[in-house]
Amino acid sequence: MFQLKEYQRRCLDELAEYFRRIIAFQGVTDKPEKTAFEEKEGRVPYQPVKELPGLPYVCLRVPTGGGKTVMASHAVGVACKEYLRRERCLVFWLAPTTQIVTQTMKALQDKRHPYRQALDSTFGGRMTIMDLSSAVTSLKPADLSADTVVVVSTIQARASGTGKAGRSIPTTTAT
């Protein structure tokens, strides 16, 4: 299996620690994601996404060619285990263009690809990879309890509130 470089591992370890600190601050402060972020020296002030209150928002800065997508494959497991504290989760994997969505779908569906191997390693091979159109038309609650489901789409499709063929995409989340 593909081995992460040391700087990639450190970034993912920082992300895991951030999620653990959020959990530690829940019930102590009304903004645990902000408190957890700002307790580390040298960071810029935390800037939440106002449309997603209470949802942690972080950016892992990695240079071009630095392996952002392979890190994202590992970060899914970090977020699911450390922040959500779940065995399975629903992931919206957003890409800037339809070309990158197509490339990402192909890689995530290929069990020999390092991105998929990272997910399979974390979730024991219990993965379903879908595009947004398939998720809107065929995703069922049983799928979510059986597998970690990754829905791959463009940022634009999510922001516009419609998928292929103008289908409405729900914008509320269940708690």
Side-chain angles (χ1 to χ4, degrees):
M1 187 160 110
F2 178 85
Q3 295 294 311
L4 292 172
K5 294 180 170 77
E6 180 59 28
Y7 71 89
Q8 293 169 323
R9 174 66 25 222
R10 282 194 320 266
C11 282
L12 292 167
D13 289 347
E14 278 285 321
L15 182 63
E17 180 58 24
Y18 171 62
F19 288 142
R20 286 191 290 270
R21 298 301 298 151
I22 292 171
I23 300 301
F25 283 121
Q26 288 177 342
V28 176
T29 176
D30 62 339
K31 294 188 172 54
E33 64 284 347
K34 180 182 188 307
T35 304
F37 185 83
E38 290 181 348
E39 76 173 351
K40 187 126 183 179
E41 289 287 323
R43 288 192 175 151
V44 298
Y46 183 76
Q47 297 185 8
V49 177
K50 66 179 178 181
E51 296 83 6
L52 302 171
L55 188 68
Y57 176 73
V58 294
C59 177
L60 300 177
R61 288 185 163 186
V62 181
T64 301
K68 288 181 284 292
T69 309
V70 75
M71 288 176 61
S73 299
H74 288 270
V76 167
V78 171
C80 188
K81 306 292 184 188
E82 299 292 344
Y83 178 68
L84 298 174
R85 299 196 171 194
R86 303 272 186 243
E87 293 298 314
R88 309 272 174 255
C89 57
L90 172 62
V91 177
F92 285 97
W93 189 300
L94 302 176
T97 67
T98 55
Q99 180 182 10
I100 294 176
V101 166
T102 301
Q103 291 170 358
T104 302
M105 285 286 298
K106 183 178 178 184
L108 293 177
Q109 290 172 333
D110 180 357
K111 292 185 180 209
R112 296 168 296 155
H113 196 283
Y115 304 165
R116 176 59 182 260
Q117 289 176 348
L119 293 166
D120 282 345
S121 174
T122 300
F123 298 106
R126 304 290 305 266
M127 297 296 308
T128 298
I129 312 298
M130 312 174 96
D131 63 19
L132 184 59
S133 179
S134 297
V136 168
T137 59
S138 64
L139 186 61
K140 297 178 179 34
D143 299 327
L144 298 172
S145 61
D147 288 348
T148 287
V149 177
V150 178
V151 178
V152 184
S153 181
T154 62
I155 295 166
Q156 295 82 359
R158 180 65 188 106
S160 70
T162 59
K164 288 186 178 177
R167 291 186 193 95
S168 176
I169 300 168
T171 57
T172 59
T173 57
T175 56

